[in-house]
């Protein structure tokens, strides 16, 4: 079967299968998700064995440590992925919610009702957890989904998708509500982007190249995001005794993800504290890439740092590397963020209410924090159960995308044999 025929068949199967989900009640959907968790548990060893093959192949091909960390499933990670399904089960089902109900002057009763989007296409790279997260959120909201993971995760994704499809069949639902494209041919990606007759939304979860490809070639609405060049501004009125823990958490807790800290902006009045912070970071194996002023201070203290540049400040590190820049005031920090940020997550540490208000009003990223780590930008941390992606755009969805972001609405009008 040629590429176009294969994709047409895929899209038709997704669209027709999705109709069986759209009218499922909340109890039936939650029962289905419970069965997904049970099937994943039953296939636990099989999934880990498949992932071990992917990791081994990735190391042999020279894949970087950051990507291998994203790819890796161990017992704790897989158990956590399965446990998160219970969080989604416990969430309120948005489908069927009616809002903005009102009586019009012409006598008609009008409201909006939340409904599934239909078919969602998700293209992602070396993150097998996405296979489960997307499928579970899609099923909870009555959407069919077409998944296209990276070649690095092929064996893992096949095992995960097979378990999910067994759960669908076990509940008497079409397996094709969740479909996986396991062929690494890139022509299938570009073909999927143009499958607008069947697919209602595309979500790319990957690097800048994938995001641009989708934005430029899709004939379907695309949710852009996931690129995180994240900043934290240490204000002159920050509590230094508590600031280090937040900065270290933002950088070190999991450095290979999009909400990890990339650049520390430090007020010049707090520059004398930088060597102490740098030593604490280096104990965690963090490499510093510093502006000229901060590098001079660090060198005088016997601390090694590479020279920063425009290119380094525009880099999402995805590793134990941190950019450092000295700023003269809060406005210089905001200007730097506006220039280099990807619009994902930014934070300020300060005890000055005026500075906090100014920063949070002026910085227009998807998530802006006061006295908190950027690592909180996550569907689970936001109480959304899990996330489809972190959107950095401004239409339809922004920030971590949970259940509601996978819905649309229709207008319902009730008249009394009304004529206009």
């Amino acid at each position: 079967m040629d590429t176009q025929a294969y994709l047409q068949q895929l899209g038709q199967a997704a669209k027709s299968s999705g109709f069986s989900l759209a009218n499922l009640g909340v109890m039936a959907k939650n029962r289905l998700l419970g069965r997904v968790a049970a099937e994943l548990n039953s296939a636990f060893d099989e999934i880990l064995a498949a992932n071990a093959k992917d990791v081994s192949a990735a190391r042999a091909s020279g894949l970087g440590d950051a990507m291998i960390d994203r790819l890796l499933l161990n017992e704790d990670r897989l158990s956590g992925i399965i446990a998160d399904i219970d969080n989604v089960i416990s969430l309120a089902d948005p489908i069927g919610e009616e809002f903005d109900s009102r009586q019009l002057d012409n006598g008609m009763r009008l409201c909006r009702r939340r409904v599934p989007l239909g078919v969602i296409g998700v293209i992602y790279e070396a993150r097998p957890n996405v296979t489960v997260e997307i499928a579970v959120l899609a099923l909870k909201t009555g959407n069919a989904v077409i998944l296209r993971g990276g070649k690095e995760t092929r064996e893992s994704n096949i095992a995960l998708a097979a378990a999910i499809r067994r759960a669908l069949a076990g509940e008497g639902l079409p397996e094709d509500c969740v479909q996986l494209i396991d062929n690494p041919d890139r022509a299938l990606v570009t073909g999927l982007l143009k499958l607008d007759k069947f697919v209602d939304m595309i979500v790319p979860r990957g690097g800048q190249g994938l995001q641009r490809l989708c934005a430029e070639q899709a004939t379907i609405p695309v949710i852009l995001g996931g690129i995180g060049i994240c900043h934290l501004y240490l204000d002159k009125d920050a509590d230094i005794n508590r600031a280090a823990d937040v900065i270290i958490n933002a950088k070190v807790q999991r450095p290979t993800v999009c909400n990890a800290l990339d650049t520390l902006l430090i007020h010049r009045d707090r520059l004398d504290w930088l060597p102490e912070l740098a030593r604490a970071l280096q104990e965690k194996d963090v490499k510093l890439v510093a502006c000229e002023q901060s590098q001079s201070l660090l060198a005088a203290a016997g601390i090694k740092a590479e020279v920063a540049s425009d290119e380094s400040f525009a880099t999402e590190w995805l590793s134990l590397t941190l950019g450092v820049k000295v700023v003269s005031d809060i406005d210089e920090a905001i200007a730097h963020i506006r220039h280099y940020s990807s619009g994902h997550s930014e934070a300020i540490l300060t005890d000055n209410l005026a500075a906090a208000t100014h920063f949070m009003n002026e910085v227009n990223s998807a998530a802006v924090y006061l006295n908190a780590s950027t690592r909180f930008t996550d569907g689970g941390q936001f109480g959304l159960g899990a996330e489809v992606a972190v959107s950095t755009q401004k239409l339809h969805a922004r920030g971590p995308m949970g259940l509601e972001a996978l819905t649309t609405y229709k207008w319902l009008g009730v008249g009394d044999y009304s004529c206009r």
Side-chain angles (χ1 to χ4, degrees):
M1 186 183 300
D2 65 28
T3 297
Q4 190 59 35
Y6 168 71
L7 288 169
Q8 287 284 324
Q9 184 183 79
L10 207 70
Q12 287 173 341
K15 198 169 188 71
S16 60
S17 298
F19 291 133
S20 65
L21 290 174
N23 294 314
L24 280 185
V26 63
M27 292 181 65
K29 286 191 280 189
N30 286 342
R31 187 170 62 247
L32 169 60
L33 297 190
R35 191 151 192 156
V36 169
E39 290 289 350
L40 290 170
N41 269 315
S42 295
F44 200 94
D45 292 339
E46 175 189 338
I47 293 166
L48 291 182
N51 182 253
K53 291 180 184 178
D54 285 332
V55 171
S56 177
R59 293 191 192 281
S61 67
L63 201 68
D65 289 344
M67 290 294 281
I68 288 175
D69 179 67
R70 290 185 173 204
L71 168 60
L72 177 66
L73 287 179
N74 53 31
E75 289 189 10
D76 286 345
R77 287 188 181 182
L78 183 54
S79 295
I81 290 168
I82 296 170
D84 282 342
I85 296 174
D86 286 336
N87 296 333
V88 178
I89 290 172
S90 70
L91 296 173
D93 183 359
I95 300 300
E97 174 195 357
E98 294 185 359
F99 54 101
D100 286 351
S101 177
R102 57 190 182 275
Q103 187 85 26
L104 303 182
D105 291 343
N106 59 22
M108 182 178 290
R109 169 64 63 182
L110 197 65
C111 73
R112 290 191 279 175
R113 178 183 293 169
R114 204 170 291 285
V115 296
L117 280 167
V119 179
I120 301 163
V122 185
I123 304 166
Y124 52 108
E125 295 174 344
R127 298 187 69 168
N129 61 297
V130 173
T131 302
V132 178
E133 290 177 1
I134 297 289
V136 165
L137 289 172
L139 294 174
K140 176 84 174 191
T141 48
N143 292 288
V145 65
I146 299 173
L147 303 166
R148 203 283 188 178
K151 62 181 181 181
E152 303 86 358
T153 54
R154 182 175 182 272
E155 299 298 327
S156 305
N157 287 341
I158 288 173
L160 291 165
I164 296 166
R165 286 166 64 87
R166 285 195 298 271
L168 283 159
E171 290 297 311
L173 295 163
E175 292 183 353
D176 286 341
C177 292
V178 175
Q179 297 180 86
L180 173 71
I181 300 174
D182 59 14
N183 187 326
D185 186 352
R186 289 187 66 84
L188 292 169
V189 173
T190 53
L192 177 61
L193 295 177
K194 300 183 186 303
L195 209 61
D196 50 89
K197 184 177 179 181
F198 305 108
V199 179
D200 298 286
M201 184 173 76
I202 292 287
V203 181
R205 287 188 63 164
Q208 190 67 45
L210 175 61
Q211 301 280 329
R212 292 313 327 152
L213 174 74
C214 294
E216 291 167 4
Q217 298 203 19
T219 58
I220 306 165
V222 176
I223 298 292
L224 296 177
I227 307 298
I229 301 175
C230 302
H231 301 80
L232 187 149
Y233 167 56
L234 182 77
D235 186 50
K236 63 184 179 64
D237 294 317
D239 184 343
I240 291 299
N241 294 321
R242 304 173 70 191
D245 287 343
V246 178
I247 295 167
I248 291 169
N249 175 265
K251 179 69 261 181
V252 172
Q253 198 252 349
R254 194 171 179 193
T256 61
V257 293
C258 59
N259 57 21
L261 180 62
D262 293 291
T263 300
L264 171 66
L265 303 169
I266 182 168
H267 193 284
R268 63 186 177 187
D269 290 355
R270 289 299 191 183
L271 192 54
D272 58 348
W273 179 68
L274 182 58
E276 180 184 337
L277 173 65
R279 291 189 186 96
L281 286 165
Q282 290 191 332
E283 287 177 3
K284 304 288 187 180
D285 298 321
V286 175
K287 181 176 75 174
L288 300 177
V289 181
C291 69
E292 183 177 346
Q293 186 177 357
S294 54
Q295 190 198 35
S296 297
L297 177 69
L298 292 170
I303 299 169
K304 183 180 178 181
E306 293 184 8
V307 180
S309 64
D310 282 347
E311 183 179 357
S312 69
F313 284 131
T315 298
E316 181 187 24
W317 293 114
L318 300 175
S319 66
L320 287 171
T321 302
L322 179 65
V324 179
K325 180 176 173 60
V326 180
V327 293
S328 58
D329 57 26
I330 190 172
D331 288 318
E332 186 180 349
I334 292 169
H336 180 98
I337 291 169
R338 287 175 176 170
H339 184 74
Y340 291 103
S341 174
S342 61
H344 193 293
S345 301
E346 328 295 347
I348 179 174
L349 299 182
T350 186
D351 288 342
N352 184 311
L353 181 58
T357 302
H358 182 59
F359 185 91
M360 298 185 82
N361 286 344
E362 295 294 322
V363 174
N364 193 22
S365 292
V368 185
Y369 297 97
L370 167 63
N371 296 335
S373 167
T374 57
R375 285 284 289 120
F376 283 103
T377 309
D378 173 83
Q381 294 294 316
F382 276 23
L384 304 178
E387 69 188 31
V388 181
V390 177
S391 169
T392 55
Q393 63 184 37
K394 298 179 182 179
L395 295 179
H396 172 62
R398 199 174 192 203
M401 295 172 57
L403 297 175
E404 191 173 305
L406 297 185
T407 69
T408 183
Y409 59 83
K410 60 183 176 185
W411 292 95
L412 300 179
V414 179
D416 185 18
Y417 295 85
S418 305
C419 299
R420 177 172 173 176

